[in-house]
Amino acid sequence: KKSKTTKTKIKHPKSHSTMTPSRLSTAAIICLQLLTSLTSAFVPSSQISGAQQLTTTISKTHFTHSTSKNPLFSSASSDNDTPDFSNVGFLILAGGTGSRMKANMPKQFLTLRSSPVLHYSLDLFLEKLPAHCAEMGVSPPAMVVLVMDPKYQPEYQPIVDKYEGKLAFANPGKERQGSVENGLKKLVETTGNGDGSGGCDFVAVHDSARPLVTIPEICHVVSDAKEYGAAVLGVPCKATIKESEDGTLVARTIPRSRLWEVHTPQVVKVEALLRGFEKVERESLEVTDDVSIIEALGEPVKLTRGEYTNLKITTPEDMDVADAILAERGVDEIQLV
């Protein structure tokens, strides 16, 4: 049963995507991948057409490497086990400006197919994941906190009202760390007993600009966090990485076998994250993501094998790739209110 397009007061521009793909078959993607691989072997990447580069990107997101045997780098499990989410809260970070998108509004509000980018995360955590939990006989997430600029909150108040007790607002900070802190405070406030007891033991922090994360990925990373204390979704780097001190000359080539591109959600024990915030403030440390705070404490962080399709919407080209992936998945329109 298809639902109607989500209606909000925000006037979202139509998707600028120039792609109108039909469902992409695996065989077609393999053929395109082979052709672009042969082309790139003899022609500099700067001379490859935009269409060829986009085809290469789509084909790369469609496949994943085989799982590593190292338990710290492998997927959480090879079966369909779903963890209990009753002590897990989710933070959706939607306070960014998206300056690299060259759009007239933050990227999380741009229309991807039929819905704003942000709505894919809201629908996943408020509808699809709870439905999956019910099917598996486990408890759904305790709470979802939406970290959003106050000027946009009135437009999303009807959604918060609909999911009363399951969705709450928090204001963003100046940087990512401040936004996570604010969201975590709201999570503790809304799920605790007022005396420091009860509430969520784990928090899963997710970027609203990643609309393509899947339920299996979420289940795996949460399971790993419950075992190790902290876990982050990631994939092995495919590209060769060069280090440069001045942006002009190459200093060295970093071994690719040791490099991982990290995604979200990043799942951490609430108690450990609070201790980490204190350490970061006390020692004026610079951290770039949530699990970096746990690394600063000297505690382990599990790398949970994710999917290359869990891309982050950063540039206009990313919208085209995400559109193609959603078309391949046959995702229906989203209705939140």
Side-chain angles (χ1 to χ4, degrees):
K1 179 181 178 181
K2 288 189 176 180
S3 55
K4 297 181 180 179
T5 305
T6 303
K7 295 181 181 179
T8 65
K9 296 179 183 178
I10 300 175
K11 295 182 180 180
H12 303 287
K14 293 183 178 180
S15 174
H16 65 281
S17 172
T18 58
M19 293 182 61
T20 55
S22 60
R23 293 181 63 82
L24 302 174
S25 68
T26 300
I29 293 178
I30 292 174
C31 290
L32 290 171
Q33 187 181 44
L34 289 173
L35 287 172
T36 52
S37 296
L38 289 171
T39 302
S40 61
F42 298 98
V43 181
S45 60
S46 60
Q47 297 179 19
I48 299 177
S49 70
Q52 287 174 311
Q53 290 181 347
L54 182 57
T55 299
T56 302
T57 303
I58 294 173
S59 64
K60 282 183 177 180
T61 61
H62 197 74
F63 301 102
T64 59
H65 293 304
S66 60
T67 301
S68 170
K69 294 181 180 180
N70 188 323
L72 285 178
F73 295 84
S74 63
S75 295
S77 65
S78 58
D79 54 26
N80 295 321
D81 287 346
T82 299
D84 185 274
F85 285 87
S86 61
N87 64 343
V88 181
F90 283 82
L91 304 186
I92 301 178
L93 303 182
T97 59
S99 58
R100 283 175 287 183
M101 283 297 297
K102 300 178 181 179
N104 60 356
M105 65 174 61
K107 57 192 175 187
Q108 59 269 27
F109 302 125
L110 293 177
T111 300
L112 176 59
R113 290 182 69 79
S114 62
S115 302
V117 171
L118 167 61
H119 288 205
Y120 289 90
S121 296
L122 287 171
D123 181 59
L124 178 63
F125 298 138
L126 293 169
E127 291 288 344
K128 289 185 171 61
L129 182 57
H132 173 76
C133 289
E135 183 180 349
M136 295 294 104
V138 299
S139 298
M143 172 65 69
V144 177
V145 175
L146 178 58
V147 182
M148 173 181 280
D149 191 310
K151 70 180 180 181
Y152 293 109
Q153 290 181 13
E155 313 296 339
Y156 279 80
Q157 188 63 50
I159 299 178
V160 173
D161 292 341
K162 176 181 177 180
Y163 295 96
E164 185 178 1
K166 288 294 182 182
L167 179 64
F169 285 127
N171 295 335
K174 292 182 179 180
E175 302 293 340
R176 178 191 177 93
Q177 180 185 332
S179 295
V180 174
E181 279 194 84
N182 291 348
L184 185 59
K185 288 178 182 177
K186 175 62 70 171
L187 181 65
V188 172
E189 173 189 323
T190 55
T191 61
N193 296 326
D195 58 359
S197 64
C200 294
D201 296 322
F202 292 88
V203 57
V205 184
H206 185 61
D207 291 333
S208 62
R210 292 189 185 272
L212 303 174
V213 66
T214 64
I215 288 177
E217 286 179 288
I218 295 169
C219 291
H220 288 168
V221 73
V222 168
S223 294
D224 276 353
K226 289 192 172 189
E227 180 178 354
Y228 292 86
V232 57
L233 283 173
V235 292
C237 283
K238 291 182 175 181
T240 298
I241 308 297
K242 303 285 186 181
E243 182 180 354
S244 174
E245 295 180 357
D246 58 7
T248 301
L249 299 176
V250 173
R252 69 185 180 110
T253 301
I254 303 175
R256 184 171 56 189
S257 61
R258 301 180 59 186
L259 298 177
W260 282 64
E261 175 187 327
V262 296
H263 298 165
T264 65
Q266 301 187 6
V267 188
V268 183
K269 265 189 174 182
V270 170
E271 175 271 331
L273 193 55
L274 291 172
R275 283 192 290 111
F277 282 144
E278 293 177 358
K279 180 180 178 67
V280 168
E281 182 177 0
R282 184 172 62 250
E283 301 179 13
S284 300
L285 301 177
E286 291 186 9
V287 293
T288 56
D289 65 356
D290 315 303
V291 294
S292 295
I293 298 174
I294 305 304
E295 295 169 37
L297 292 173
E299 299 179 11
V301 176
K302 173 70 160 49
L303 275 171
T304 301
R305 181 59 177 270
E307 299 179 15
Y308 287 95
T309 51
N310 187 15
L311 60 85
K312 184 176 183 179
I313 303 295
T314 305
T315 66
E317 292 76 17
D318 295 329
M319 293 285 281
D320 292 327
V321 178
D323 185 280
I325 294 171
L326 289 171
E328 167 69 8
R329 292 178 179 177
V331 175
D332 292 332
E333 295 177 350
I334 296 171
Q335 182 177 7
L336 292 172
V337 290

PDB file of all heavy atoms in Angstrom, residues 320-335:
ATOM      1  N   ASP A 320      22.194  12.383  -6.918  1.00  0.00           N
ATOM      2  CA  ASP A 320      21.938  11.514  -8.061  1.00  0.00           C
ATOM      3  C   ASP A 320      22.197  10.050  -7.714  1.00  0.00           C
ATOM      4  O   ASP A 320      21.409   9.163  -8.069  1.00  0.00           O
ATOM      5  CB  ASP A 320      22.825  11.923  -9.240  1.00  0.00           C
ATOM      6  CG  ASP A 320      22.448  13.276  -9.822  1.00  0.00           C
ATOM      7  OD1 ASP A 320      21.252  13.618  -9.807  1.00  0.00           O
ATOM      8  OD2 ASP A 320      23.355  13.987 -10.298  1.00  0.00           O
ATOM      9  N   VAL A 321      23.293   9.804  -7.017  1.00  0.00           N
ATOM     10  CA  VAL A 321      23.628   8.436  -6.630  1.00  0.00           C
ATOM     11  C   VAL A 321      22.588   7.898  -5.654  1.00  0.00           C
ATOM     12  O   VAL A 321      22.123   6.755  -5.791  1.00  0.00           O
ATOM     13  CB  VAL A 321      25.038   8.376  -6.005  1.00  0.00           C
ATOM     14  CG1 VAL A 321      25.363   6.949  -5.563  1.00  0.00           C
ATOM     15  CG2 VAL A 321      26.090   8.856  -7.003  1.00  0.00           C
ATOM     16  N   ALA A 322      22.207   8.705  -4.651  1.00  0.00           N
ATOM     17  CA  ALA A 322      21.211   8.272  -3.672  1.00  0.00           C
ATOM     18  C   ALA A 322      19.868   7.990  -4.352  1.00  0.00           C
ATOM     19  O   ALA A 322      19.173   7.026  -4.010  1.00  0.00           O
ATOM     20  CB  ALA A 322      21.041   9.335  -2.584  1.00  0.00           C
ATOM     21  N   ASP A 323      19.515   8.819  -5.322  1.00  0.00           N
ATOM     22  CA  ASP A 323      18.271   8.620  -6.069  1.00  0.00           C
ATOM     23  C   ASP A 323      18.279   7.261  -6.762  1.00  0.00           C
ATOM     24  O   ASP A 323      17.284   6.515  -6.736  1.00  0.00           O
ATOM     25  CB  ASP A 323      18.116   9.746  -7.092  1.00  0.00           C
ATOM     26  CG  ASP A 323      16.785   9.685  -7.831  1.00  0.00           C
ATOM     27  OD1 ASP A 323      16.688   8.872  -8.785  1.00  0.00           O
ATOM     28  OD2 ASP A 323      15.869  10.436  -7.483  1.00  0.00           O
ATOM     29  N   ALA A 324      19.404   6.904  -7.373  1.00  0.00           N
ATOM     30  CA  ALA A 324      19.513   5.629  -8.082  1.00  0.00           C
ATOM     31  C   ALA A 324      19.421   4.444  -7.119  1.00  0.00           C
ATOM     32  O   ALA A 324      18.787   3.427  -7.420  1.00  0.00           O
ATOM     33  CB  ALA A 324      20.827   5.580  -8.857  1.00  0.00           C
ATOM     34  N   ILE A 325      20.044   4.579  -5.949  1.00  0.00           N
ATOM     35  CA  ILE A 325      20.009   3.497  -4.959  1.00  0.00           C
ATOM     36  C   ILE A 325      18.586   3.294  -4.442  1.00  0.00           C
ATOM     37  O   ILE A 325      18.110   2.155  -4.303  1.00  0.00           O
ATOM     38  CB  ILE A 325      20.973   3.800  -3.801  1.00  0.00           C
ATOM     39  CG1 ILE A 325      22.420   3.780  -4.294  1.00  0.00           C
ATOM     40  CG2 ILE A 325      20.802   2.785  -2.660  1.00  0.00           C
ATOM     41  CD1 ILE A 325      23.431   4.285  -3.284  1.00  0.00           C
ATOM     42  N   LEU A 326      17.875   4.379  -4.157  1.00  0.00           N
ATOM     43  CA  LEU A 326      16.497   4.273  -3.682  1.00  0.00           C
ATOM     44  C   LEU A 326      15.591   3.672  -4.754  1.00  0.00           C
ATOM     45  O   LEU A 326      14.678   2.899  -4.447  1.00  0.00           O
ATOM     46  CB  LEU A 326      15.978   5.655  -3.271  1.00  0.00           C
ATOM     47  CG  LEU A 326      16.576   6.233  -1.984  1.00  0.00           C
ATOM     48  CD1 LEU A 326      16.152   7.687  -1.809  1.00  0.00           C
ATOM     49  CD2 LEU A 326      16.165   5.408  -0.769  1.00  0.00           C
ATOM     50  N   ALA A 327      15.860   4.005  -6.025  1.00  0.00           N
ATOM     51  CA  ALA A 327      15.081   3.427  -7.117  1.00  0.00           C
ATOM     52  C   ALA A 327      15.313   1.923  -7.188  1.00  0.00           C
ATOM     53  O   ALA A 327      14.381   1.140  -7.385  1.00  0.00           O
ATOM     54  CB  ALA A 327      15.458   4.091  -8.440  1.00  0.00           C
ATOM     55  N   GLU A 328      16.565   1.510  -6.999  1.00  0.00           N
ATOM     56  CA  GLU A 328      16.898   0.085  -7.008  1.00  0.00           C
ATOM     57  C   GLU A 328      16.205  -0.641  -5.860  1.00  0.00           C
ATOM     58  O   GLU A 328      15.744  -1.778  -6.018  1.00  0.00           O
ATOM     59  CB  GLU A 328      18.416  -0.075  -6.917  1.00  0.00           C
ATOM     60  CG  GLU A 328      18.918  -1.482  -6.595  1.00  0.00           C
ATOM     61  CD  GLU A 328      18.696  -2.478  -7.723  1.00  0.00           C
ATOM     62  OE1 GLU A 328      18.292  -2.042  -8.820  1.00  0.00           O
ATOM     63  OE2 GLU A 328      18.933  -3.666  -7.504  1.00  0.00           O
ATOM     64  N   ARG A 329      16.094   0.010  -4.716  1.00  0.00           N
ATOM     65  CA  ARG A 329      15.465  -0.613  -3.550  1.00  0.00           C
ATOM     66  C   ARG A 329      13.945  -0.595  -3.627  1.00  0.00           C
ATOM     67  O   ARG A 329      13.263  -1.310  -2.887  1.00  0.00           O
ATOM     68  CB  ARG A 329      15.898   0.109  -2.263  1.00  0.00           C
ATOM     69  CG  ARG A 329      17.369  -0.077  -1.919  1.00  0.00           C
ATOM     70  CD  ARG A 329      17.719   0.712  -0.662  1.00  0.00           C
ATOM     71  NE  ARG A 329      19.116   0.530  -0.288  1.00  0.00           N
ATOM     72  CZ  ARG A 329      19.697   1.155   0.728  1.00  0.00           C
ATOM     73  NH1 ARG A 329      19.001   2.006   1.478  1.00  0.00           N
ATOM     74  NH2 ARG A 329      20.977   0.951   1.013  1.00  0.00           N
ATOM     75  N   GLY A 330      13.401   0.229  -4.504  1.00  0.00           N
ATOM     76  CA  GLY A 330      11.949   0.324  -4.618  1.00  0.00           C
ATOM     77  C   GLY A 330      11.311   0.947  -3.397  1.00  0.00           C
ATOM     78  O   GLY A 330      10.225   0.542  -2.967  1.00  0.00           O
ATOM     79  N   VAL A 331      11.957   1.972  -2.825  1.00  0.00           N
ATOM     80  CA  VAL A 331      11.457   2.630  -1.612  1.00  0.00           C
ATOM     81  C   VAL A 331      10.185   3.413  -1.924  1.00  0.00           C
ATOM     82  O   VAL A 331      10.120   4.179  -2.892  1.00  0.00           O
ATOM     83  CB  VAL A 331      12.532   3.579  -1.035  1.00  0.00           C
ATOM     84  CG1 VAL A 331      11.984   4.360   0.155  1.00  0.00           C
ATOM     85  CG2 VAL A 331      13.762   2.779  -0.620  1.00  0.00           C
ATOM     86  N   ASP A 332       9.168   3.215  -1.108  1.00  0.00           N
ATOM     87  CA  ASP A 332       7.905   3.926  -1.269  1.00  0.00           C
ATOM     88  C   ASP A 332       7.999   5.342  -0.723  1.00  0.00           C
ATOM     89  O   ASP A 332       8.959   5.703  -0.035  1.00  0.00           O
ATOM     90  CB  ASP A 332       6.763   3.190  -0.537  1.00  0.00           C
ATOM     91  CG  ASP A 332       6.429   1.865  -1.193  1.00  0.00           C
ATOM     92  OD1 ASP A 332       6.639   1.746  -2.420  1.00  0.00           O
ATOM     93  OD2 ASP A 332       5.960   0.959  -0.479  1.00  0.00           O
ATOM     94  N   GLU A 333       6.969   6.139  -1.039  1.00  0.00           N
ATOM     95  CA  GLU A 333       6.902   7.485  -0.499  1.00  0.00           C
ATOM     96  C   GLU A 333       6.718   7.424   1.028  1.00  0.00           C
ATOM     97  O   GLU A 333       6.159   6.462   1.552  1.00  0.00           O
ATOM     98  CB  GLU A 333       5.758   8.247  -1.152  1.00  0.00           C
ATOM     99  CG  GLU A 333       5.971   8.464  -2.636  1.00  0.00           C
ATOM    100  CD  GLU A 333       4.796   9.159  -3.307  1.00  0.00           C
ATOM    101  OE1 GLU A 333       3.740   9.287  -2.631  1.00  0.00           O
ATOM    102  OE2 GLU A 333       4.911   9.550  -4.468  1.00  0.00           O
ATOM    103  N   ILE A 334       7.165   8.460   1.714  1.00  0.00           N
ATOM    104  CA  ILE A 334       7.140   8.480   3.172  1.00  0.00           C
ATOM    105  C   ILE A 334       6.025   9.380   3.682  1.00  0.00           C
ATOM    106  O   ILE A 334       5.841  10.503   3.205  1.00  0.00           O
ATOM    107  CB  ILE A 334       8.506   8.976   3.725  1.00  0.00           C
ATOM    108  CG1 ILE A 334       9.603   7.993   3.336  1.00  0.00           C
ATOM    109  CG2 ILE A 334       8.448   9.156   5.238  1.00  0.00           C
ATOM    110  CD1 ILE A 334      10.992   8.480   3.647  1.00  0.00           C
ATOM    111  N   GLN A 335       5.299   8.894   4.664  1.00  0.00           N
ATOM    112  CA  GLN A 335       4.243   9.695   5.299  1.00  0.00           C
ATOM    113  C   GLN A 335       4.474   9.702   6.804  1.00  0.00           C
ATOM    114  O   GLN A 335       4.328   8.687   7.469  1.00  0.00           O
ATOM    115  CB  GLN A 335       2.858   9.120   4.988  1.00  0.00           C
ATOM    116  CG  GLN A 335       1.730   9.953   5.581  1.00  0.00           C
ATOM    117  CD  GLN A 335       0.358   9.418   5.198  1.00  0.00           C
ATOM    118  OE1 GLN A 335       0.240   8.361   4.606  1.00  0.00           O
ATOM    119  NE2 GLN A 335      -0.677  10.162   5.561  1.00  0.00           N
TER     120      GLN A 335
END
